[in-house]
Structure formats: C-alpha cells, structure tokens
C-alpha cells in the first residue's frame, strides 16, 4: 500500500508518534526511511485538517534531536568496537569505506558535519554515533544537533506542507510525485556518498600497499 494511503488510515496522534519514533531511530543510527515518512506525513497534513503541521514538525524535530543525542551517547560509550559491530549488522550503511568518508567529513568540518549531515541520507545515520566515537565536545554536538534538527525536520515539514496547500488540487491527483522526489533526493545523496566512499577506500588501499622492493644491480 502507498505510504500516504496507509497514513490516512491511522489517527493523527499515531502519525505524530510514528514520525517522531522513525526519525528518532534513524538519527540514533538505525537505517530507516525517516525522510520518506516525514514528507508523506507533511503532504497528508496539507490535505487533511486533522493533522496539525506545527505539531508534526515539532514531533519530527524532537525525534531528530533526541535520537541524535542517544546515538552520541552510545557512540561515546561503545567507541570503535561499536562501529565494527554496526558494520557487521548493516554492511551497506556502516562499511569501512562509508565510515572513513564520514570520519573525514568530521575531521574537516567538525560540528558543522553534524549540522549539514542532517540533510544527507547516510550521514543522518552516522552523525550521532560517530560524533560520540570521535569524542566531539558535547556542547558543540548539541548546538549543531539542535540547529540541524530544527532546520531539517521543521523546514522540510513547512516546505512540503505549503507546497501541498498551494497545489492541493494537483497533489491530490499526483501526490506520489512528492514521495518520488524525496526518494530521488535520498538516492542521489546516497550515490554521491558511495562514490566518495569508494575513492576513500581506493586511496586507503593504495597507501596500505607496500612499496615494491628495489631491483638489485645485477638484475
């Protein structure tokens, strides 16, 4: 069943809870379609008065901030063994190449990697746990986490909601386009990150390979 059609069958309170929980778990480090659920719910709010977009955006924001904070605490306590365990459970998301790419982003951008990572599918999963593993000062993490959570969750809800209001009659017939757009954006960001991860893995492999032994004079 279409995600939005399924959401129409549950009460508004359940939609709020679902959005907050799914986004919170995704931010914690569990690969879930948080962006798809948020976009679908915001579209639904624009077409049905039972769902308040302000409450929806607030639930999404709170879920994002709390989930990231729990991920940070888990990462700080678990350290690199946690990343190795996650790599075994979710090899497509927590591969060594992906972790290396995310770590380079953190080393280069610091707390801003947490902020901007909120807008990239895979980095949303990495941000909290990796910031904890790298022992980023909590006040820096919390600042970037709160700002990123508000801008991403609240901003996404507001934009999709108002687009739905402006083009309500059009979206009622073609509401799946909003979902397709969200999926395409997520896939694009994922492909970009994968390409960077492959380059990082290739560079790491090249660095790790021992240099060939010099030929003797007699050869």
């Amino acid at each position: 069943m279409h995600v939005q059609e399924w959401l129409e069958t549950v009460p508004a309170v359940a939609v709020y809870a679902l959005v907050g929980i799914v986004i919170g778990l995704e931010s914690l480090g569990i690969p879930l379609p948080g962006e798809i659920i948020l976009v679908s719910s915001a579209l639904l709010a624009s077409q049905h008065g039972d769902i308040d977009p302000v409450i929806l955006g607030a639930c999404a924001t709170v879920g994002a901030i709390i989930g990231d904070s729990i991920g940070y605490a888990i990462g700080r306590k678990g350290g690199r063994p946690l990343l190795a365990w996650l790599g075994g459970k979710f090899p497509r998301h927590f591969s060594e190449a992906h972790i290396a790419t995310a770590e380079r982003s953190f080393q280069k951008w610091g707390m801003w990697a947490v902020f901007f990572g909120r807008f990239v599918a895979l980095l949303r999963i990495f941000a909290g746990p990796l910031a904890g593993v790298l022992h980023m000062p909590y006040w820096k993490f919390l600042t970037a986490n709160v700002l990123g959570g508000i801008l991403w969750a609240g901003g996404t809800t507001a934009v999709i909601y108002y687009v739905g209001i402006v083009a309500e009659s059009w979206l009622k017939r073609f509401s799946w386009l909003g979902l397709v757009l969200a999926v395409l954006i997520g896939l694009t960001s994922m492909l970009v990150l994968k390409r960077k991860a492959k380059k990082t893995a290739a560079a790491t492999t090249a660095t790790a390979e021992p240099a060939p032994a010099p030929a003797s004079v007699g050869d």
Side-chain angles (χ1 to χ4, degrees):
M1 185 182 293
H2 192 287
V3 175
Q4 191 170 348
E5 291 176 350
W6 179 80
L7 288 173
E8 290 178 353
T9 65
V10 300
V13 174
V15 174
Y16 301 145
L18 178 67
V19 168
I21 291 171
V22 171
I23 290 178
L25 291 176
E26 182 191 37
S27 302
L28 188 153
I30 299 175
L32 290 174
E35 193 167 44
I36 293 176
I37 294 295
L38 179 58
V39 168
S40 298
S41 300
L43 279 174
L44 185 63
S46 71
Q47 299 167 23
H48 298 274
D50 293 341
I51 299 177
D52 189 328
V54 176
I55 297 177
L56 181 67
C59 290
T61 301
V62 170
I65 294 172
I66 292 177
D68 247 13
S69 297
I70 295 175
Y72 175 90
I74 293 174
R76 193 173 181 91
K77 184 175 182 179
R80 295 204 174 266
L82 172 66
L83 295 181
W85 181 83
L86 288 173
K89 293 293 183 180
F90 308 104
R92 291 186 178 181
H93 297 85
F94 289 91
S95 66
E96 292 183 6
H98 287 169
I99 292 174
T101 299
E103 190 168 353
R104 286 180 59 191
S105 299
F106 270 70
Q107 291 171 348
K108 183 176 182 179
W109 300 106
M111 63 182 286
W112 294 110
V114 177
F115 177 83
F116 290 112
R118 176 62 64 183
F119 300 88
V120 181
L122 285 177
L123 285 181
R124 268 201 305 276
I125 302 171
F126 281 119
L130 190 56
V133 170
L134 297 177
H135 290 271
M136 177 182 289
Y138 183 68
W139 71 268
K140 289 186 176 181
F141 169 80
L142 183 61
T143 300
N145 178 25
V146 171
L147 293 177
I150 292 173
L151 191 59
W152 174 75
T156 298
T157 302
V159 169
I160 298 299
Y161 175 78
Y162 284 112
V163 166
I165 292 294
V166 171
E168 183 176 1
S169 61
W170 186 79
L171 285 174
K172 278 184 177 179
R173 297 178 61 187
F174 303 101
S175 59
W176 55 270
L177 288 178
L179 183 61
V180 171
L181 180 61
V183 172
L184 289 177
I185 293 174
L187 287 175
T188 301
S189 61
M190 206 174 291
L191 289 174
V192 170
L193 189 61
K194 284 184 178 181
R195 182 175 295 180
K196 289 183 179 180
K198 288 181 180 180
K199 289 182 179 179
T200 302
T204 303
T205 302
T207 304
E209 288 180 353
S216 62
V217 177
D219 292 342

